[in-house]
Amino acid sequence: MEWTMTANDPGRVCLMQGNEAIVRGAVEAGINFAASYPGSPSSQILGMLGKIARERNFYAQWATNEVCALEACIGTSLANARSICIVKQNGLLCVADALHCGAQHGVKGGLVIVTSDDPSAHSSTNEFDSRFMAESADLPMLEPTNMQEAKDMVPYAFELSERLRQMVIIRLTTRVCHGRGNVTLGPLPEAPHEIQSVGEWDRMVCVSYRHTPMLETLDGLREAFEVCPFNHYTGPEHPKKLIVAGGTGCLYSQEALRRLGAAEETGVLSLATLWPLPETLIARYLADAEEVLTVEEVDPFLERNLQAIAGKNGYRIRFSGRGDGALPRIGELTPDLVLSAVSGLTGKPMPPRPKVSEEPLLERDLNFCAGCPHRATFYLLKRAMRRAKDPGIVIGDIGCYIMSGQEAGHYAYQACNCMGSGVNLAEGLGQLTAYCLKQQVVTMCGDSTFFHSILPGLVNASYHNSNMLLMVLDNSATAMTGFQPHPGTGITAMGDAVQPMQIRPVCEALGCKVTEADPFDVEKTAEILEDLLRQPGLKVLIMKQPCATLMTKSRRGKVKVWVDQDKCVGDGCGCDKFCSRVWGCPGNSWDFTKNKAAIDPVSCVGCGVCAKLCPAGAIQVEGGDAK
Amino acid sequence: MFSTFALDTQVLQRDLCTGCGACQGLCPYWDSVHGRTVCYFDCERLDGRCQRFCPRMPTDLDALRRKAFPEETILPEIGPFRGLYLTRAADETIRAGAQHGGTVTALMELALREGLIDAALLTRAQGTLDPAGALVTKAEEVRSCSGSSFQIPPSLAALNRALREDRYRSIGVVGTPCKTLAVYKMRHDPLPENDNHAGNIGLVVGLFCGWGLDWDGMRELTGRYADPAAVSHMDIPPSKYHSLEITAEGKTTSVNLDEVIPLVRPACRACADMTAEFADLSVGGARSADGWDVDKKWNQVVVRTKKGQELLELAIAKGVLECKDVPESGLDKLKKASLGKKRTAVRTLREKDGTLGYLEPCGQMFQDL
């Protein structure tokens, strides 16, 4: 697919993912600089930009965190560079300060922020509606309804950004990021945007008196948005029943009207300019409307604003949407949900729904991959906690290991806030151990999270000698989002080999007592963990074992793991399916014909830990020559 | 109910766990840390050896003892009874390292030497603290396990492991009443699908027991009076002394029992068995008119089974044990002390929820207490 990103073939129609469409749009806009920290559902964008950066003569970076990414973009804007910063919803919250300050000082070269919201939090801890950030920071925001718009909006946003001298945000949602659609390619610029020397009197400074001119800029933009080509209307000139849709809601609504046969009499106003809203355009379609359904992802942002516009104009309209229960208050929109809401609006009966299957789908919990070192870590942690006289407090953090809060990690932690928060929550609790709190405090972070946002917390914890244990689960990867490089990996987004940062000396330089352990060496690591839990003060334990996906790539020799079913106790007393039920690795399967354990050779990566834990010694490991 | 939930809710959470280890050494779920029984993960089996063996899961003690002992031998106060003896090891060197008269050490040495048992499950306590179960197979190893500890170790975990391995045909088990009860449950109420080779338990020697003490508390208390690593002996003399004696480096310190009582394992207050009623022989400290200075180097032995009788007679015949006359009031005093512990157990259990708790299935045995 990558050739479509750089093909200079205007007019050619290509099938593209939304994320790819953004990349193509950035290339067509002639960007100079791109930075991001990985976050689903938009992780692929910078990955692809990194691969084509040299060819298209721009710079791309997997930054240590989103703040680094956005602030670097702001910096390059001072030299007139066109820069793009890609974040997910949590990343946008992470950069809130830089965003608000930046909105006040404005930009010189175009700066576009692509933010991806994850309705239903498929690959997130929480839902968040990033439109409120645009409103809060008074920044223009656009949202595409299909892949073509996603591509076209990027050059449009850059032009807008440079015209207004302001950052512009493009909001995506999961289905737009990951869905595919036809995109007609535009021309590629012969050279990237022109970088200019920074003049002595060039200024991008956040000062409070810049607020008024900034608001005036936004007022001016409202007029431009009234005629923005990305806003569409279909339906009668003076609709009685109106659907106002943003993002995915537009196609879902059109499909629903088609299925219900109500397209003729129902208006659909599809809004791409989310902030500031084109109030005159909206008021024109609200004027004769009796009922308005708003179809939007995450929160009733448009719905509330429509109500305000109707109120300002004295219209009497019945509004429905996420705010009144016509659509659920939380969770991603689906065509079926929208169909039901549109049926309610139009009074057309729901069409019959063909039954796909009588068989229920198997429910599966989230689980660590086969051979994941985190499984061993949380197995050991649970045992250590159960062994403690005053069972300790475990604080989670964000990464693959967030799954340890569920069955996969034996419900490891009591609290988990946002990325990088674990060390701070633990720091506070650790101080309470001098004030009658009798428990050990343990927290964790991955290697990527360590660099992302643990460091300031670790400085704090070390400086104040909090009584806690930080486990750095070093699997040499940003595994959850797809193996993007981070400062510990020794590679950059553009494929350059660099000196990897070592976590141990970083911690030691901060005054931490550091121990390393291999979670696969279960017996020894259990002792190390128990010993550390007995020691007062701040301890760092680096659990070193590469992510299973990396481990299988680097291993020489084939490993065969198998179950000696004559030895296997199965579900009998003394085992009760310990490997498949408690250890829970996808590689540990169950032979229903013999009621004994089995290894799924497709899933098993040959880490061999289950063989060490099998109470009957029935699991055998043959071969293998791990590097 | 899942096995692990059953033990957790009916035993651990009710402060009834004695720490005997009967639930351990069988599976990856149960373990023990400094005398505390811990469950790492939930087992979802509805029946299992852990809950079957646990001496504090509801048990019909009356039915169990009818299975194991002839009814005519059973005395209500102290269980199966074929005779009461005052004994001591003839070998002075055994007595020197023993808790009292060294009877148990002498008997186990003899049993191993004569091939009556091929392994012995004992308790080894380094300096009386932090004891652990020890499986010995040679008579010469028995003495390293002489002497008592007031911390109850989960030694049955070692027994379970040994039975699982099925390497020994006749294992002799020495233990406190909670442990010997568990052993009889293993033998007479096994899990139908997995008997854990309980037929390989060949001899059970019970130890009289008033109560066990909290591990951490005991270490701390000991540390206040002596170097814990240097302690060689601890004892609790008859009640009129109201003390715990700690001997370290030849010096004995008397600790007021008031300091010790708060460390009693709550589970032990709910124990209705002082004399280890489920055993072939039960052995304790002697009590006689000769006074503590003499008694502390003697044992009293309750013989409960034919096998126990034969072993004791063999020991006397071979000159391994010395005997002296039991005072006339000896049995009555023992019965009285035993009943006292039963009353405490009944009171403790009733205070919890008004019932007899784990003794409920044989409530008629305790109704008059």
Side-chain angles (χ1 to χ4, degrees):
Chain A
M1 261 303 160
E2 271 156 39
W3 65 271
T4 58
M5 304 294 105
T6 53
N8 199 1
D9 194 3
R12 182 166 182 150
V13 179
C14 300
L15 188 66
M16 275 189 192
Q17 261 195 354
N19 283 337
E20 292 172 318
I22 295 288
V23 172
R24 175 71 195 190
V27 173
E28 289 183 12
I31 58 162
N32 307 100
F33 190 91
S36 177
Y37 181 82
S40 298
S42 55
S43 302
Q44 292 121 318
I45 297 175
L46 197 112
M48 288 185 272
L49 285 170
K51 285 182 184 160
I52 58 172
R54 287 238 152 69
E55 182 183 345
R56 296 304 306 171
N57 197 20
F58 64 87
Y59 178 84
Q61 181 184 83
W62 279 122
T64 302
N65 64 30
E66 293 87 347
V67 179
C68 300
L70 178 61
E71 290 173 354
C73 287
I74 292 171
T76 63
S77 166
L78 188 60
N80 200 46
R82 279 193 166 182
S83 52
I84 188 165
C85 176
I86 304 104
V87 292
K88 73 178 289 182
Q89 64 206 22
N90 305 80
L92 192 70
L93 287 165
C94 206
V95 301
D97 199 9
L99 193 78
H100 285 71
C101 292
Q104 205 139 312
H105 63 57
V107 296
K108 190 174 150 198
L111 200 169
V112 174
I113 298 167
V114 176
T115 177
S116 55
D117 287 3
D118 183 14
S120 282
H122 294 294
S123 50
S124 310
T125 52
N126 55 324
E127 287 188 326
F128 174 69
D129 193 324
S130 58
R131 293 175 295 180
F132 293 108
M133 285 287 268
E135 184 182 359
S136 166
D138 292 309
L139 286 173
M141 179 179 262
L142 305 166
E143 182 178 20
T145 60
N146 58 39
M147 312 316 153
Q148 183 71 51
E149 283 184 4
K151 197 259 316 167
D152 292 343
M153 260 180 196
V154 181
Y156 174 81
F158 272 109
E159 283 156 28
L160 201 63
S161 172
E162 279 155 11
R163 193 163 83 234
L164 302 171
R165 299 180 75 87
Q166 186 57 288
M167 292 184 279
V168 175
I169 307 174
I170 296 176
R171 181 210 194 204
L172 306 177
T173 54
T174 307
R175 296 301 138 188
V176 176
C177 290
H178 292 164
R180 286 174 194 277
N182 278 341
V183 175
T184 306
L185 302 184
L188 294 186
E190 282 184 12
H193 193 68
E194 188 194 356
I195 292 172
Q196 295 170 357
S197 307
V198 181
E200 185 183 354
W201 299 105
D202 280 348
R203 287 292 185 275
M204 278 168 46
V205 180
C206 177
V207 281
S208 60
Y209 61 76
R210 289 282 308 144
H211 200 177
T212 304
M214 190 186 79
L215 290 174
E216 285 166 0
T217 309
L218 209 64
D219 290 340
L221 180 60
R222 203 164 269 129
E223 284 163 31
F225 275 3
E226 297 290 352
V227 292
C228 174
F230 295 115
N231 294 327
H232 311 280
Y233 176 78
T234 55
E237 193 57 27
H238 301 288
K240 296 272 181 241
K241 296 191 174 180
L242 176 69
I243 298 171
V244 179
T248 55
C250 175
L251 289 176
Y252 291 167
S253 301
Q254 286 170 351
E255 181 186 310
L257 287 172
R258 246 193 337 270
R259 288 182 67 189
L260 295 166
E264 289 291 310
E265 64 268 32
T266 317
V268 179
L269 176 60
S270 164
L271 289 174
T273 56
L274 298 178
W275 198 256
L277 283 166
E279 290 193 15
T280 311
L281 176 76
I282 292 168
R284 191 200 313 158
Y285 293 106
L286 289 185
D288 294 309
E290 290 164 1
E291 282 184 58
V292 173
L293 169 69
T294 314
V295 183
E296 57 191 319
E297 291 288 14
V298 189
D299 287 326
F301 175 85
L302 286 177
E303 193 176 339
R304 299 266 182 267
N305 276 291
L306 293 178
Q307 288 165 357
I309 293 168
K312 222 192 298 187
N313 289 282
Y315 302 149
R316 291 177 64 82
I317 300 170
R318 191 182 159 269
F319 284 96
S320 62
R322 292 221 184 235
D324 79 329
L327 288 164
R329 288 175 70 181
I330 63 161
E332 189 178 32
L333 295 177
T334 64
D336 282 347
L337 287 171
V338 175
L339 184 70
S340 159
V342 173
S343 162
L345 173 78
T346 57
K348 302 275 184 182
M350 290 279 282
R353 189 162 192 262
K355 198 155 195 172
V356 180
S357 168
E358 296 290 335
E359 291 290 314
L361 281 174
L362 284 178
E363 285 200 16
R364 287 201 319 172
D365 278 329
L366 288 173
N367 198 352
F368 296 122
C369 304
C372 175
H374 297 338
R375 178 176 292 101
T377 295
F378 289 103
Y379 170 84
L380 292 169
L381 181 63
K382 178 55 80 174
R383 281 173 54 103
M385 287 293 129
R386 291 265 164 108
R387 287 174 70 83
K389 192 170 190 184
D390 299 301
I393 308 166
V394 180
I395 306 295
D397 211 306
I398 309 296
C400 291
Y401 42 90
I402 193 171
M403 288 187 284
S404 69
Q406 299 168 332
E407 200 175 354
H410 312 286
Y411 306 94
Y413 52 77
Q414 285 102 327
C416 182
N417 186 260
C418 65
M419 191 152 171
S421 65
V423 68
N424 297 320
L425 266 68
E427 196 276 333
L429 285 162
Q431 299 298 358
L432 291 189
T433 59
Y435 297 85
C436 301
L437 185 69
K438 277 188 176 169
Q439 294 165 285
Q440 288 290 338
V441 184
V442 182
T443 186
M444 69 200 77
C445 69
D447 41 339
S448 188
T449 302
F450 177 82
F451 292 112
H452 177 279
S453 45
I454 291 296
L455 281 170
L458 192 57
V459 169
N460 190 45
S462 176
Y463 185 70
H464 296 100
N465 194 29
S466 184
N467 191 17
M468 57 170 277
L469 170 67
L470 169 67
M471 295 200 304
V472 183
L473 315 182
D474 185 357
N475 61 357
S476 312
T478 317
M480 191 132 200
T481 48
F483 299 97
Q484 293 83 4
H486 66 67
T489 58
I491 194 148
T492 70
M494 289 165 70
D496 295 332
V498 291
Q499 190 64 37
M501 298 256 176
Q502 300 294 330
I503 293 173
R504 182 176 193 139
V506 170
C507 294
E508 282 170 346
L510 299 183
C512 305
K513 180 183 180 313
V514 184
T515 312
E516 283 184 13
D518 173 3
F520 283 174
D521 190 352
V522 278
E523 234 168 86
K524 194 170 158 204
T525 303
E527 280 172 29
I528 292 173
L529 188 55
E530 206 164 336
D531 181 48
L532 285 177
L533 286 171
R534 276 195 291 265
Q535 296 176 21
L538 176 66
K539 291 87 55 183
V540 175
L541 173 61
I542 302 177
M543 288 286 204
K544 242 181 143 45
Q545 182 63 243
C547 174
T549 313
L550 298 178
M551 186 256 289
T552 48
K553 278 181 191 160
S554 69
R555 191 178 42 217
R556 294 165 295 169
K558 205 169 153 50
V559 179
K560 189 186 170 206
V561 181
W562 57 282
V563 176
D564 181 346
Q565 292 192 335
D566 292 336
K567 281 188 184 172
C568 173
V569 180
D571 57 3
C573 180
C575 180
D576 191 23
K577 303 179 172 181
F578 188 74
C579 59
S580 56
R581 193 180 59 82
V582 176
W583 173 242
C585 175
N588 293 105
S589 182
W590 185 250
D591 181 344
F592 282 94
T593 59
K594 303 210 178 80
N595 230 22
K596 299 276 180 173
I599 299 292
D600 173 11
V602 178
S603 305
C604 176
V605 301
C607 72
V609 181
C610 62
K612 294 177 192 168
L613 302 178
C614 172
I619 303 179
Q620 314 294 320
V621 184
E622 286 171 13
D625 180 21
K627 257 192 242 177
Chain B
M1 196 189 294
F2 293 159
S3 289
T4 44
F5 283 10
L7 281 182
D8 188 41
T9 54
Q10 296 182 53
V11 180
L12 288 170
Q13 288 184 30
R14 291 192 190 183
D15 266 345
L16 290 178
C17 177
T18 65
C20 70
C23 59
Q24 297 155 38
L26 298 163
C27 67
Y29 302 102
W30 291 102
D31 201 355
S32 187
V33 184
H34 296 296
R36 282 178 289 112
T37 301
V38 296
C39 176
Y40 292 132
F41 305 100
D42 291 323
C43 173
E44 295 184 357
R45 285 180 52 86
L46 298 177
D47 192 4
R49 288 169 292 178
C50 58
Q51 68 189 78
R52 289 227 173 205
F53 298 168
C54 174
R56 291 298 172 262
M57 282 293 279
T59 309
D60 186 343
L61 297 175
D62 195 37
L64 185 65
R65 71 184 181 183
R66 277 165 205 271
K67 272 189 202 174
F69 306 96
E71 200 170 342
E72 64 275 12
T73 65
I74 297 170
L75 299 180
E77 302 89 347
I78 58 165
F81 181 79
R82 286 171 181 262
L84 178 65
Y85 298 80
L86 286 179
T87 63
R88 68 177 187 186
D91 184 339
E92 211 172 298
T93 59
I94 291 183
R95 293 205 302 271
Q99 187 66 14
H100 298 117
T103 300
V104 176
T105 303
L107 285 173
M108 296 315 277
E109 277 186 3
L110 177 69
L112 276 168
R113 214 180 297 122
E114 295 291 318
L116 302 173
I117 56 174
D118 55 3
L121 189 275
L122 309 170
T123 291
R124 187 177 284 133
Q126 307 286 346
T128 81
L129 289 172
D130 298 348
L135 191 81
V136 308
T137 53
K138 293 189 182 73
E140 306 83 73
E141 296 172 300
V142 174
R143 290 184 200 200
S144 69
C145 298
S146 288
S148 297
S149 170
F150 289 94
Q151 297 164 321
I152 309 293
S155 49
L156 294 187
L159 174 66
N160 281 332
R161 275 190 283 271
L163 290 171
R164 239 174 63 184
E165 287 176 17
D166 197 21
R167 276 206 287 157
Y168 306 103
R169 295 279 81 83
S170 178
I171 301 178
V173 182
V174 177
T176 47
C178 50
K179 292 179 188 176
T180 63
L181 170 57
V183 168
Y184 271 71
K185 290 179 85 172
M186 291 175 191
R187 279 213 297 215
H188 297 283
D189 189 20
L191 185 69
E193 66 190 69
N194 181 345
D195 69 358
N196 202 40
H197 308 295
N200 292 338
I201 298 169
L203 176 72
V204 182
V205 175
L207 303 171
F208 287 15
C209 181
W211 25 248
L213 298 170
D214 177 74
W215 280 46
D216 293 345
M218 201 49 201
R219 174 160 278 279
E220 198 204 332
L221 175 91
T222 309
R224 287 209 296 270
Y225 294 96
D227 172 8
V231 173
S232 56
H233 190 81
M234 278 194 207
D235 206 353
I236 294 182
S239 52
K240 64 176 181 183
Y241 293 92
H242 197 68
S243 70
L244 166 77
E245 289 177 349
I246 299 176
T247 307
E249 295 167 280
K251 185 172 155 266
T252 298
T253 311
S254 202
V255 179
N256 190 312
L257 212 56
D258 290 347
E259 285 189 59
V260 182
I261 296 301
L263 303 178
V264 172
R265 232 183 138 100
C268 298
R269 303 242 183 246
C271 173
D273 185 0
M274 185 195 91
T275 60
E277 296 178 24
F278 289 89
D280 291 305
L281 292 161
S282 301
V283 183
R287 295 288 186 269
S288 76
D290 297 336
W292 175 235
D293 277 341
V294 176
D295 285 346
K296 69 182 175 187
K297 284 292 166 195
W298 285 83
N299 293 108
Q300 54 183 329
V301 179
V302 175
V303 175
R304 301 192 182 278
T305 64
K306 203 157 161 279
K307 186 185 268 184
Q309 186 80 50
E310 285 164 4
L311 178 62
L312 189 78
E313 281 168 6
L314 181 68
I316 294 165
K318 292 223 167 220
V320 167
L321 286 184
E322 295 172 358
C323 282
K324 67 173 179 177
D325 289 342
V326 178
E328 218 165 281
S329 62
L331 184 59
D332 284 339
K333 278 187 174 168
L334 190 61
K335 284 179 176 176
K336 204 177 146 205
S338 174
L339 276 178
K341 191 172 179 190
K342 288 186 200 298
R343 283 196 189 94
T344 304
V346 166
R347 195 172 60 241
T348 304
L349 289 165
R350 287 208 172 114
E351 277 168 8
K352 283 183 198 281
D353 61 3
T355 73
L356 283 169
Y358 75 99
L359 297 175
E360 200 64 41
C362 50
Q364 77 288 347
M365 286 171 67
F366 301 94
Q367 63 191 3
D368 299 330
L369 296 175

